[in-house]
Amino acid sequence: MSRSADLVVIGGGIHGCAAALFCAKRGLKVILLEKETIARHASGANAGGVRRLGRHLAEVPISVRSMALWHRIGEILDDDTGFSVAPQIKVAETEAELDTLRARVRELNGMGFFHEVILERAELRAHLPAVADHAVGGLAVLDDGFAQPFWTTFAFANQARREGVDIRENHESTRIERKDGAWHVEANGETFVAPKLLNTAGAWGGRLAESLGERAPLEPVAPMMIVTGRLPHFCDAVVGAAGRPLSFKQMPNGTCVIGGGRRGRADAGSGLSEILFPELRRTAETAMSLFPIMRGASIVRSWSGVEGRMPDDIPVIGPSTRHEGLYHAFGYSAHGFQMGPGVGELMAELISTGATQSPIAPFSIGRFAQG
């Protein structure tokens, strides 16, 4: 049996679901194939940070575009995403780190972006009264925020279904070929046919691209997260550190969610990941050193997942350099959640019109063609 559409999307994370939704809103008939279940991997394992703060400079325009969508996410989706506006703050622990942050603000201002601001010592303590005494300042975006990753991805999937997207979970694509001007994707004994194909396969996106002759040296990585027991309220911001990996926030119920860059072991073949407890301990130690109150916290749960990292730590976004009607959006290198709505919207723009106003040239898969 074969089913036809205008677009087949492979991958049911936030990027696939958002792109499917925005494409359907533009009138495209869309089929989305997910080899497991919606939000099974990166979109369900991340910390839920909704941040423009500290982005790679090439990502800033797309991140800003995406943030505009986050601020009206309740108009776009019928389901709750748990999105809350909160300051995102990167704490400087030395004067040298603070000088580096000041230089970044000057560079961003020169590009025409003014969302990141420097917090001097007193301003930092006004936002983070519980921060350790040795902190000297910070870099902040005061109207960023956080959301619930599972809720958000399900909300995009549910909205896409309401717009007519045919979402097939537990449908692993086993054969992809282009013939007679269309892509033919085999999954679960069916063939799905469309003139356009979007690869949002996350940690498996590189493998898909390479199966079609496009080099994409993606490394599967395993972010690790901690959640603590409830503590008295002490933090309203999402906090990172300028000089070491950290993502920290206190939830409305008092628990603290901690992650931010230290990795476990990922196995893309099995789809499983393993927590490395010495690395997890270092994450906990960083949180305790920045917030002494955390020395009394108890860890109640930790988890890991599988995400895709590119060698230059920025994703692949844009059209194929080899095939007509093929598009990629994968390899977010453990920081793609906030960009999901924006990339979904720009991919819909690109797929339906052939162009986008967002600057996507730095993300071309063609940058890996040599070497």
Side-chain angles (χ1 to χ4, degrees):
M1 179 181 293
S2 68
R3 296 183 182 276
S4 62
D6 299 309
L7 171 70
V8 171
V9 179
I10 298 179
I14 188 171
H15 287 272
C17 293
L21 169 61
F22 287 115
C23 283
K25 282 179 170 290
R26 285 177 171 266
L28 273 63
K29 183 179 179 182
V30 182
I31 297 170
L32 186 150
L33 305 176
E34 163 54 48
K35 68 183 179 63
E36 295 177 64
T37 53
I38 296 298
R40 169 63 182 82
H41 291 287
S43 293
N46 70 83
V50 180
R51 65 166 178 86
R52 289 164 290 176
L53 180 68
R55 288 275 168 190
H56 188 288
L57 295 181
E59 292 180 340
V60 170
I62 296 175
S63 182
V64 169
R65 175 177 181 166
S66 198
M67 202 67 217
L69 295 174
W70 277 104
H71 279 291
R72 58 181 189 88
I73 201 74
E75 302 169 21
I76 298 170
L77 305 175
D78 288 345
D79 300 321
D80 188 11
T81 63
F83 173 64
S84 296
V85 174
Q88 288 262 356
I89 300 174
K90 190 180 293 290
V91 174
E93 299 177 81
T94 67
E95 290 294 339
E97 288 177 359
L98 190 55
D99 285 344
T100 299
L101 298 179
R102 289 190 179 105
R104 174 180 168 86
V105 170
R106 288 193 295 272
E107 186 170 14
L108 271 179
N109 292 167
M111 295 169 59
F113 296 105
F114 300 91
H115 53 281
E116 293 189 7
V117 296
I118 289 293
L119 302 179
E120 302 295 345
R121 182 186 290 265
E123 295 171 297
L124 177 69
R125 280 167 175 72
H127 287 286
L128 300 176
V131 75
D133 290 341
H134 71 274
V136 299
L139 180 69
V141 179
L142 299 178
D143 60 345
D144 276 353
F146 62 88
Q148 297 287 351
F150 270 119
W151 296 5
T152 302
T153 308
F154 291 157
F156 271 104
N158 291 338
Q159 199 70 30
R161 288 189 179 98
R162 294 185 192 105
E163 292 287 341
V165 176
D166 181 359
I167 294 180
R168 304 292 187 94
E169 296 179 274
N170 300 304
H171 274 59
E172 182 172 4
S173 304
T174 53
R175 182 180 173 86
I176 302 171
E177 62 178 338
R178 186 168 176 85
K179 61 182 181 181
D180 302 326
W183 292 98
H184 295 245
V185 182
E186 294 183 7
N188 281 27
E190 291 185 83
T191 301
F192 301 89
V193 181
K196 296 180 180 178
L197 177 66
L198 173 59
N199 169 17
T200 55
W204 295 264
R207 181 184 300 177
L208 193 161
E210 295 197 348
S211 74
L212 299 174
E214 290 194 282
R215 184 170 183 269
L218 182 149
E219 173 195 9
V221 297
M224 299 188 297
M225 302 296 302
I226 293 170
V227 64
T228 73
R230 297 183 182 188
L231 293 171
H233 178 76
F234 67 93
C235 183
D236 291 318
V238 182
V239 182
R244 43 185 173 164
L246 180 69
S247 169
F248 178 95
K249 62 177 175 287
Q250 186 174 29
M251 303 303 290
N253 67 359
T255 62
C256 296
V257 179
I258 311 166
R262 300 198 186 279
R263 290 165 179 159
R265 186 177 293 119
D267 181 355
S270 66
L272 300 178
S273 58
E274 178 184 356
I275 290 174
L276 299 180
F277 285 96
E279 290 298 303
L280 202 66
R281 179 186 180 94
R282 294 176 68 190
T283 295
E285 288 173 344
T286 301
M288 288 188 291
S289 70
L290 281 185
F291 292 106
I293 191 175
M294 291 301 297
R295 292 172 185 151
S298 298
I299 295 174
V300 298
R301 186 166 66 93
S302 60
W303 70 93
S304 183
V306 180
E307 299 188 338
R309 174 184 173 272
M310 305 309 298
D312 51 7
D313 282 319
I314 59 174
V316 173
I317 302 172
S320 164
T321 58
R322 288 180 59 92
H323 300 285
E324 181 181 355
L326 174 62
Y327 302 85
H328 301 290
F330 66 86
Y332 286 88
S333 304
H335 60 261
F337 179 65
Q338 186 270 349
M339 296 172 71
V343 173
E345 186 184 59
L346 81 82
M347 291 307 299
E349 185 181 26
L350 178 64
I351 290 168
S352 60
T353 70
T356 174
Q357 295 183 1
S358 290
I360 59 173
F363 309 105
S364 171
I365 195 169
R367 70 188 192 270
F368 303 114
Q370 302 296 325

